[in-house]
Amino acid sequence: MIQFLDFEFDESQSILFKAGKVIPLNSTQSNLLVLFISNPKKVFSKEDILTSVWHSKVVSEQVVFQNISQLRAILGEDAIKTFPKKGYQWQLELVMIHELKEASKETVNPKESINLSVSQQQGRIEERSNPKITIEPKELHKTLYVRIGVVCLMMVSLLLGGVYFQDLNGVSNLMGERQAQEPVLERTEQTFDGELQFIPFTADSPRHFQSELVTLHTHLDFAFENKSLISREFINSPFMQYQKLNVSNALVFTGILKSNGDSATQKKMPYLLELLVQGQERSWTSYLYGTSMSDLAKQTKTLLSKLSQGDYFVLKSESLLSAELSLMHDSMGESLHALPLLAHQLIQADKFDSASGYIELLLAESELEHPLYYAYGKWLKGQLYQGKRDAVGAQTFYEQADLLFSDAHIYDLQAEVNKSMAELAHSIAHTKEDYDAIHRYLYKAASLARLGKKPVAEIRAYTLLSIKASKFGMKKARMDYLIQAKTLLSEYQLDGSHYMLPTYHFALFAETIEDRIKFYHEVLDKPVTPENYWVFFSSADQLSKLYLQADKPEAALAVIEKITEPARSALLHAQYYRALNNIQSAISYAKRSFNIGRGQHLNWLSLNSALMLLELKKTQGESHELAEYREFIANHASYWWLNWRKERLATVGIDAEAQMAGL
């Protein structure tokens, strides 16, 4: 492995990593990178590059420049320096990384780390750190053998010098003498598979539950208390705050302690805990009713034990979540906590029959013991009926959920139900009176979110008000609500990731192309999270199209290269080459987007790629390949997508109206 900046390059497999994640490179970019790092002091002429990378094939000099620009977009502008009339030279310091794992024969199961004290974990991290040495690439192999020999001698010395094995909770842990002298954090019995940290919990009101919170924190002795973050900031931006901790293989959690406002159950279970858990890829929210702080702590420990045993927090692909949540539900026995997430995931995937079964189970099991999940089940049932385009049924269940959440004083979730009712009203809206109903729901949602102390939800409601006003041609109202959202962002002092969505709509509503471009660039400069990635991608898509329309292909390409996810990147490249009338390259990238998207179950992306391929190849006559794209559209297109794309579908001979009628 060769390291430069925060990148690592596996030359043998031509794989580039950044912070442990694979950065996609095409074969040309990979070969170009290999060439530069093979002799970093050499200034490579265009002829050298054409010979080494393209093997003297006839390509234009513009292709060389374009690929170097793409590589700079990935690695940084300073990675490769241009010498006018001479060529290009590598500029970054190269570091060879040799991992000790083979030499020491020590393999560490990341699931064991929870059984170690904090100081012991730090010691293990130091023991496993990769030694680095700056060298020239031509010295890599010679240095490798020398270092293996040195490492072996060091390991023998350590073993003879008193390193010992200590069995801790049934796991053999290698510890040095310095680590053994450090204090060990006492913990209760452990069943967790990863490191656990908690941010001090908060109460629904600063005046309430102060003594209870102290007691609750005492009972959370199965996890490490991290006081470097503030609970409300973590709740507002769990992903961003998690990144600040710079932890890996860890679950970080916090909670909001509330009174049980449901009159039927509050005497039996006076406390309600909203528990938020954040992992590497996503978060989890559960609601726990309890009789005491020890009861809530016990429930929290049991739930975290189950959560840490699955792959929910580390799965990269959203398409695998339904299966993982189903497994988690099975492993949780009578617990209801996985059911809402599982049902929601199935509704999003249009798997209505499966979702209906889980919703009915949630309703039956929660009716007497868990009023919040019972109301949640009604809300999910409304979503189910809306997905099936039954507006009357959806409205009925939304209204039931709204009333149940109101009776239990769960204002933040009541706000979300009102947003759902606004979306339902918008889906059937035609007149100014329809907009008035949408406005009432969203304004109520904003007020309820503020009452429930959920600023992100409040800001989202005002952003939605702006979007709906725009749909009805109310230019002043759309800007007023958008400005209100931006004002609240400043008032609540939220981090930059929350500015992405309002800024995106400032771009959409901009009066001039120059302002639109400016706002899109502001979006692309904001921090990216799993929740706002779609905004980031859409902004790159729109901005690249604006640059192509302005005949600025290099600027468009620089924007496209900001998207590193392979399927989405391929789609934007296909659009780019289509605009340049490079049909073969457009087809190649569209096929790549179609196939990767299909493999990842990103149906919307594969549908767009399939339609583009039909358009690009419609003059070539019908073929088995084109029939495959038509079949994919017939089998996977949603009502919404068909309605959105019906004019383009008509140009390739697909009757969207007929297909919509059959859904």
Side-chain angles (χ1 to χ4, degrees):
M1 299 286 284
I2 302 170
Q3 185 184 61
F4 43 90
L5 299 180
D6 53 350
F7 293 94
E8 294 174 354
F9 184 61
D10 184 339
E11 187 176 358
S12 64
Q13 301 184 67
S14 296
I15 299 176
L16 181 67
F17 300 89
K18 184 176 183 180
K21 294 183 179 180
V22 175
I23 304 299
L25 295 177
N26 61 37
S27 59
T28 302
Q29 293 165 350
S30 178
N31 292 336
L32 199 56
L33 178 57
V34 169
L35 176 66
F36 279 122
I37 65 178
S38 68
N39 195 342
K41 293 185 177 181
K42 179 176 178 179
V43 177
F44 289 95
S45 66
K46 291 177 182 176
E47 292 72 21
D48 293 333
I49 295 172
L50 287 168
T51 300
S52 299
V53 178
W54 280 272
H55 306 293
S56 298
K57 291 181 181 178
V58 179
V59 296
S60 67
E61 292 185 355
Q62 178 65 21
V63 173
V64 176
F65 171 77
Q66 190 177 73
N67 278 272
I68 289 176
S69 295
Q70 292 171 359
L71 203 55
R72 282 174 173 153
I74 296 170
L75 306 176
E77 290 297 323
D78 296 332
I80 302 166
K81 183 177 180 179
T82 301
F83 289 86
K85 298 183 180 181
K86 291 184 178 180
Y88 304 90
Q89 183 188 49
W90 184 258
Q91 297 296 301
L92 304 178
E93 181 182 58
L94 299 174
V95 177
M96 188 276 289
I97 304 174
H98 170 57
E99 296 186 6
L100 286 178
K101 185 163 60 175
E102 284 299 316
S104 66
K105 299 300 182 183
E106 178 192 2
T107 58
V108 180
N109 184 347
K111 294 185 176 182
E112 294 173 4
S113 63
I114 190 61
N115 295 307
L116 296 175
S117 69
V118 175
S119 60
Q120 291 167 349
Q121 290 179 37
Q122 181 61 36
R124 291 291 293 274
I125 292 170
E126 291 172 1
E127 287 181 9
R128 298 198 306 271
S129 295
N130 296 330
K132 301 177 182 179
I133 180 169
T134 303
I135 58 170
E136 296 296 330
K138 63 183 180 181
E139 298 292 330
L140 287 177
H141 295 95
K142 181 172 72 174
T143 307
L144 176 63
Y145 297 129
V146 172
R147 291 196 62 79
I148 289 175
V150 172
V151 167
C152 291
L153 289 173
M154 289 172 62
M155 292 305 298
V156 170
S157 300
L158 284 170
L159 290 170
L160 293 177
V163 176
Y164 62 93
F165 289 90
Q166 174 180 345
D167 186 74
L168 181 61
N169 291 336
V171 180
S172 295
N173 298 305
L174 185 63
M175 297 167 53
E177 182 178 346
R178 179 184 63 80
Q179 295 164 286
Q181 293 172 351
E182 292 179 345
V184 177
L185 181 66
E186 292 295 329
R187 300 187 181 211
T188 56
E189 181 183 354
Q190 299 285 350
T191 58
F192 305 108
D193 293 338
E195 180 185 352
L196 290 175
Q197 296 186 21
F198 75 90
I199 312 303
F201 286 26
T202 187
D204 200 30
S205 170
R207 298 189 300 270
H208 296 159
F209 303 124
Q210 294 307 306
S211 62
E212 286 88 348
L213 285 175
V214 172
T215 304
L216 179 58
H217 290 156
T218 302
H219 286 291
L220 298 177
D221 59 349
F222 54 84
F224 170 67
E225 182 176 8
N226 192 319
K227 296 182 179 181
S228 64
L229 299 180
I230 299 171
S231 57
R232 284 290 175 181
E233 292 180 355
F234 188 84
I235 291 163
N236 292 335
S237 301
F239 182 82
M240 294 295 294
Q241 295 293 308
Y242 184 88
Q243 304 308 307
K244 285 185 178 181
L245 292 175
N246 196 27
V247 293
S248 59
N249 189 45
L251 295 183
V252 181
F253 64 97
T254 193
I256 306 174
L257 184 61
K258 311 176 183 183
S259 293
N260 177 5
D262 177 67
S263 57
T265 59
Q266 61 186 189
K267 287 186 178 180
K268 181 181 177 181
M269 300 176 294
Y271 302 107
L272 172 63
L273 178 65
E274 179 182 343
L275 182 70
L276 173 67
V277 188
Q278 179 67 46
Q280 294 177 28
E281 296 294 327
R282 57 186 55 84
S283 60
W284 175 290
T285 301
S286 280
Y287 300 89
L288 313 174
Y289 285 104
T291 59
S292 64
M293 296 305 102
S294 61
D295 179 29
L296 289 174
K298 183 179 179 181
Q299 291 185 57
T300 299
K301 179 179 179 181
T302 301
L303 177 59
L304 287 168
S305 176
K306 295 295 184 181
L307 293 180
S308 64
Q309 292 170 14
D311 293 329
Y312 174 82
F313 293 98
V314 296
L315 281 176
K316 300 285 186 183
S317 174
E318 293 288 321
S319 64
L320 302 176
L321 281 183
S322 296
E324 177 62 22
L325 285 166
S326 180
L327 290 172
M328 294 174 74
H329 171 64
D330 292 341
S331 72
M332 288 182 178
E334 298 180 357
S335 171
L336 302 176
H337 298 300
L339 280 174
L341 286 169
L342 176 55
H344 177 75
Q345 194 70 23
L346 291 168
I347 292 170
Q348 294 299 107
D350 293 341
K351 297 179 180 178
F352 300 127
D353 288 341
S354 298
S356 181
Y358 285 117
I359 292 170
E360 293 303 326
L361 179 61
L362 177 64
L363 290 170
E365 296 294 328
S366 63
E367 184 173 6
L368 299 178
E369 297 294 330
H370 205 302
L372 188 150
Y373 280 155
Y374 185 71
Y376 209 122
K378 295 289 186 178
W379 179 28
L380 286 167
K381 201 159 186 177
Q383 294 177 38
L384 176 70
Y385 276 86
Q386 186 171 350
K388 296 165 73 173
R389 300 191 305 283
D390 181 345
V392 174
Q395 184 69 21
T396 298
F397 286 108
Y398 284 152
E399 288 175 353
Q400 291 179 15
D402 181 56
L403 181 61
L404 289 166
F405 280 131
S406 177
D407 289 345
H409 306 298
I410 304 168
Y411 302 118
D412 53 333
L413 292 180
Q414 189 185 358
E416 297 304 317
V417 174
N418 277 268
K419 288 180 190 175
S420 295
M421 288 196 282
E423 291 296 339
L424 178 64
H426 182 262
S427 68
I428 56 176
H430 299 288
T431 66
K432 173 67 166 58
E433 288 71 25
D434 294 324
Y435 170 75
D436 291 340
I438 295 168
H439 179 274
R440 285 196 304 272
Y441 287 132
L442 288 176
Y443 199 81
K444 181 180 176 182
S447 302
L448 287 166
R450 177 169 282 248
L451 196 59
K453 298 180 177 62
K454 292 299 176 67
V456 175
E458 181 185 357
I459 292 164
R460 184 61 60 88
Y462 279 110
T463 306
L464 287 172
L465 273 166
S466 173
I467 295 168
K468 303 312 179 189
S470 177
K471 297 288 185 182
F472 283 85
M474 301 175 179
K475 291 187 176 182
K476 183 179 184 304
R478 76 181 184 184
M479 292 307 296
D480 287 345
Y481 288 126
L482 206 52
I483 291 169
Q484 175 69 1
K486 189 174 181 181
T487 302
L488 287 171
L489 282 165
S490 178
E491 176 186 327
Y492 288 121
Q493 298 183 334
L494 298 178
D495 66 69
S497 66
H498 296 291
Y499 283 78
M500 188 181 283
L501 185 61
T503 306
Y504 173 72
H505 284 94
F506 274 117
L508 292 179
F509 302 156
E511 298 289 342
T512 66
I513 296 297
E514 291 75 14
D515 283 344
R516 190 166 295 178
I517 289 173
K518 181 193 75 171
F519 282 122
Y520 279 135
H521 274 295
E522 286 185 21
V523 171
L524 297 179
D525 288 338
K526 304 297 182 192
V528 181
T529 69
E531 289 76 22
N532 69 18
Y533 185 80
W534 73 269
V535 184
F536 184 79
F537 170 75
S538 184
S539 297
D541 182 14
Q542 297 297 326
L543 182 55
S544 63
K545 289 175 180 175
L546 288 175
Y547 277 134
L548 287 169
Q549 291 167 9
D551 195 25
K552 296 180 178 179
E554 291 184 10
L557 189 61
V559 171
I560 290 170
E561 293 299 335
K562 293 179 181 290
I563 303 298
T564 57
E565 193 279 322
R568 292 174 174 85
S569 174
L571 179 63
L572 295 190
H573 277 89
Q575 293 174 175
Y576 169 80
Y577 284 111
R578 185 182 188 182
L580 296 182
N581 205 31
N582 186 340
I583 302 303
Q584 285 307 117
S585 293
I587 290 173
S588 176
Y589 275 107
K591 284 182 178 179
R592 176 176 171 82
S593 175
F594 175 75
N595 289 319
I596 297 175
R598 185 169 52 169
Q600 295 177 348
H601 302 281
L602 297 172
N603 286 344
W604 67 270
L605 194 146
S606 291
L607 285 166
N608 289 338
S609 302
L611 176 55
M612 187 189 301
L613 286 163
L614 289 173
E615 292 170 331
L616 290 169
K617 306 185 80 164
K618 67 181 179 181
T619 60
Q620 299 180 7
E622 197 64 31
S623 67
H624 174 75
E625 190 175 38
L626 294 183
E628 179 184 15
Y629 303 142
R630 294 182 184 277
E631 182 181 3
F632 186 86
I633 291 173
N635 292 336
H636 295 89
S638 66
Y639 186 94
W640 173 85
W641 188 86
L642 289 166
N643 190 50
W644 178 38
R645 297 299 196 191
K646 61 184 176 183
E647 292 182 2
R648 285 178 60 188
L649 288 166
T651 66
V652 294
I654 295 177
D655 188 344
E657 294 286 354
Q659 194 166 328
M660 288 160 62
L663 291 176

